[in-house]
Amino acid sequence: MTNLLEPGPKLRRRYRAEKIFKRMGLSAIIASLCFVFFLFYTIISDGYSAFTQTYIEIEVSFNKDLFTDANISKADFPGLVKKSLLKMFPEVTKRQDKKLLYSLISPSAAYTMQELVEETPKLIGTTQKIWVLADDDVDMLIKGKYQRDVPESNRRLKDLQLKWIDRLTAEGMLEKKFNTTFFTSGDSREPELAGILGAAKGSLLTLLITLSLSFPIGVAAAVYLEEFAPANRWTDIIEVNINNLAAVPSIIFGLLGLAIFINFWGLPRSTPIVGGLVLTLMTLPTIIIAGRASLKSVPPSIREAALGIGASKMQTVTHHVLPLALPGMLTGTIIGMAQALGETAPLLMIGMVAFIVDVPGSFTDPSAVLPVQIYLWADSPERAFTEKTSAAIMILLAFLIAMNSLAVFLRKKFEIKW
Amino acid sequence: MELTANHASNAFPTMLSEEMLEEAEQSKTLATARKTVGTPFVDTPRMTCRDIQVFYGDKQAINKMSIDVASNEVLAMIGPSGCGKSTFLRCLNRMNDTVLSCRVTGEVKLDGTDIYHPSVDVVPLRARVGMVFQKPNPFPKSIYDNIAYGPKIHGLTKNKDELDEIIETSLIRAGLWDEVKDRLQDPGTGLSGGQQQRLCIARTIAVSPEVILMDEPCSALDPIATARVEELIAELRTQFSIVIVTHSMQQAARVSQRTAYFHLGDLIEVGATEKVFTNPLHQLTEDYITGRFG
Amino acid sequence: MKLKTIAAAGALSLLLCGPALAARDYISIVGSSTVYPFATVVAEQFGKTTGYKTPKIESTGSGGGFKLFCGGVGINHPDITNASRAIKSSEMEKCAENGVNDIVEVKIGYDGIVLAHSKSVAPLKLTRQEIFLALAKDVPDPKNPGKIIPNPYKTWNEINSNLPPTKIEVLGPPPTSGTRDAFVELAMETGADSFDVIKAMKKTDKEGYKALSQTVREDGAYVEAGENDNLIVQKLQANPAAVGIFGFSFLDQNSDVIQGSFIEDMPPTFEAIADGSYPVSRPLYFYVKKAHVDVIPGMKGYLDEFTSEKAWGEDGYLADKGLIPMPAAERKQYHENVAALKTLEMK
Ligand SMILES: Nc1ncnc2c1ncn2[C@@H]1O[C@H](COP(=O)(O)OP(=O)(O)OP(=O)(O)O)[C@@H](O)[C@H]1O
Ligand SMILES: [Mg+2]
């Protein structure tokens, strides 16, 4: 007779095992949460500063005699910037010091001037106060990423430059502002000019190709294999091969893409269309396998019910099986897409690991993608690219989160309650 | 010619010895068919089945069965679990086609047409020979859509009013109308087990089949719902033929005109229900209905 | 039905191939990752100041670059390849096989390879012989110089008592990297040559000499740190005993936290590398496909930009990025070569 009030030793042991199991599960979850938080913390604490950029206000007089040529772009804009700086610091006379002074301002200042004048030619003959980008070294100093207290010879910014920067700061002519450039331009070798838009758009275009090819092809293949294909040796061979393909290292797909799409079809290198095709090859097995698994999970009684009242095979699949399997298929697709979004190895082979400044406008413009941009920036010698790297990772994560939420939304929308 | 001879010989009860029975059970291959006793054939058949054999892979599940389904009759199939009732039933609308390992030989005719003929399309066949499954299997859609699906794919209605009417009559005949008339848009899977089964019956009769195959339709129903389904069966009989598998001998006795007794893949005895239950010809049938077997 | 699918497939492939048939309106550059940071600056400057599109630059490594470059003539092949070494005759042959006959070689400057370590300790002063002894797999036995033994040195002061007593721990590039090739050739081989035993082998046993002078030790004292030089810089900051090997531009950008070791009493400074007194430096190049110069828009402009004084001159913007300029005469020579599109002779 077991005592209901006093559990025996056997029962107690069972409960203990249960408790240990529960605790282990909980600590596993806590540990993984810790890693995720740590990851987010390091990335955000490294990268948040990239969203502001240091600007310096300079007073520019657009003298008429500078713009004698009818073609405005021929004017000496770098000279204009230099002149303005010298006017602000008249005490600088030595050649060496002048060079130091000029290096406070980003080389982009000249382009800024050019754009301004080209936009509103009326500026010619006036004097304007204009905020221009500071050099990345100045920016790093302002953001506290350079130490001031090391000997001058060991610093990228010399004592004289520090003095000027302090003066500018005190006069309110040096400020951190929101970094719009980061969101509106492509890659650059000047950290202060480098932006993520080119890579983000490249990723978007590439994934569009991948999604629009791999989803329909993957779903069609999964439906055919699962619902229509006769069970014979050929189907077995195809099945084994698809499973093997899912395990093939992604760089192989890059080699394949290089051989077929670029060398054989003659598609242009480094473009989203080739990248999309290569990533399609890579994600197809994932989508097919996930698709088949979710088709398998549809209970056979639903198929019988439909067939039993005289639905054809096709109607059974499209009216009943597919809607039930779709949420699972979407999940598989999103996993495939997320993989594709983070992939660089196969893109190396088809030339997408490249320095590309112009933001791609179409599927056949050369473009990079987000992970490639991260890789390239992480490998750049300039210190200021460190924060850009982290910021780019944040953008990539945002992309991922957006894609996942879309998947969750779609799944919720298509999910059929039992 | 052969058939008549067979028919004639079946008129006499053939008693099988216990040893033969055991032998057949041991071999499991059912190599030698047992002759069916009773009256498997009728004068005006709606469906005729001759020498039906069904194999699942190498395993034989049904051994040379021959039986007719008459017009306007309810044919009950009884027998111990696993004896092949469902398998046989599924031969009548070719549902076994969907089971990959399943192979059917023999001849099944619906109004004189061999339904296993290569040029026969299963889609209209299944519209004419409807089926209610052993386990309720409503679509994960609304109650309305569950019933509307059949008429829609077969193009039975011209407009929404006609469709609404079919849905209402089907639900009324299945005895579900009063329970669901206010929530036709609720999911069919949200109903109770018994309600789901009646929904499936309504779904089947909505396409007005000529023959309805019912596989234990009442196994999940309470006595009230069962009575309603039995009423429905009686009513449907005026237009259709019904083949019903049941484990309840009382039910078989209540609703059917003829009863077939299955045993381990063999059709042992077919006869008028009254006769089978009161005066069975075969020892096995008697054992079963008196509760000595199964 | 079938016809329709075939037609659709045809239309799709036409659609896909269409853009490839159109002309390319940007310069396509491939090649060395060492030259990449310099070439990209020029490309960007060129793109921003002219009406042309910014050239596209892939970082494929020198070898990979030549492979693509020599693939043929036509818009699907790159116009320029960057290299951290001169083209090999085997590569020239490959080029010629594919119809790439006229190649213009442009030397753009020098890159110093530095051994750097944390600022928190005194700078190392090394000779190339000591570098060899610290990093080779097998070295001559100090007690019996005729015999070759597995590298016995664990700390720097075992090699030379003037060096610190810290463990030998060098972070460097993997064998796939051009920096590693150059380092092995310029520092280790020269160091090995300072031993008569090894030098003698050069004539008698070429294979053995190569293996001895070029094989880096695998007992953990040399750590392959991957291609990311920024990572090495971070590790050096964390571990003052560690020494890292990378290109001068990384030292130049991080001079507040790390310092370069002296080699043969020369510090790795801009000036010392430029005048050739710092011994571990190598020339950098790019190669131009002459047949493309008049076909791809902007080629002439890009070449002009790269070989202009404001780019590769002593005060040019490339020097700001860490490229060590060539002497003025050499610059002039190459500028003229480029202007005349003087092609390489088959060796
Ligand atoms: N899909 C299948 N594959 C293999 N064997 C099957 C399959 N379906 C049924 N069988 C076998 O065929 C035989 C008859 O099964 P069937 O389902 O027709 O029995 P049943 O008479 O309906 O039993 P129950 O009264 O329990 O429903 C059983 O031995 C069963 O194991
Ligand atoms: Mg059954």
Side-chain angles (χ1 to χ4, degrees), chain B residues 85-87 134 215-216 245:
Chain B
K85 303 181 296 293
S86 301
T87 304
Q134 193 163 351
D215 198 346
E216 296 177 40
V245 172

Coordinates of all heavy atoms in Angstrom, one line a residue, chain B residues 85-87 134 215-216 245, ligand 2:
Chain B
K85 N -12.7 -5.2 -42.8 CA -14.0 -4.5 -43.2 C -13.7 -3.1 -43.8 O -14.2 -2.8 -44.9 CB -14.9 -4.3 -41.9 CG -15.2 -5.5 -41.2 CD -16.1 -5.2 -40.0 CE -15.4 -4.4 -38.9 NZ -14.3 -5.1 -38.2
S86 N -12.8 -2.3 -43.1 CA -12.5 -1.0 -43.7 C -11.8 -1.2 -45.0 O -12.1 -0.5 -46.0 CB -11.6 -0.3 -42.7 OG -12.2 -0.1 -41.5
T87 N -10.9 -2.2 -45.1 CA -10.2 -2.4 -46.3 C -11.1 -2.7 -47.5 O -11.0 -2.1 -48.6 CB -9.2 -3.5 -46.2 OG1 -8.3 -3.2 -45.1 CG2 -8.4 -3.7 -47.4
Q134 N -13.8 6.3 -40.4 CA -13.9 5.8 -39.1 C -13.6 6.8 -38.0 O -14.3 7.0 -37.0 CB -12.9 4.6 -38.9 CG -13.1 3.8 -37.7 CD -12.3 2.4 -37.9 OE1 -11.8 2.1 -38.9 NE2 -12.3 1.7 -36.8
D215 N -17.9 4.0 -42.4 CA -17.0 3.2 -41.6 C -17.2 3.5 -40.1 O -16.7 4.5 -39.6 CB -15.6 3.4 -42.0 CG -14.7 2.3 -41.6 OD1 -15.1 1.5 -40.7 OD2 -13.6 2.2 -42.1
E216 N -18.0 2.7 -39.4 CA -18.3 2.9 -38.0 C -18.7 4.4 -37.7 O -18.0 5.0 -36.9 CB -17.1 2.5 -37.1 CG -16.8 1.0 -37.2 CD -15.6 0.6 -36.4 OE1 -15.5 1.2 -35.3 OE2 -14.8 -0.2 -36.9
V245 N -20.2 -0.2 -41.9 CA -19.4 -1.1 -41.0 C -19.8 -0.7 -39.6 O -19.8 0.4 -39.2 CB -17.9 -0.9 -41.2 CG1 -17.1 -1.6 -40.2 CG2 -17.5 -1.2 -42.6
Ligands
MG2 MG -12.0 -0.4 -39.6

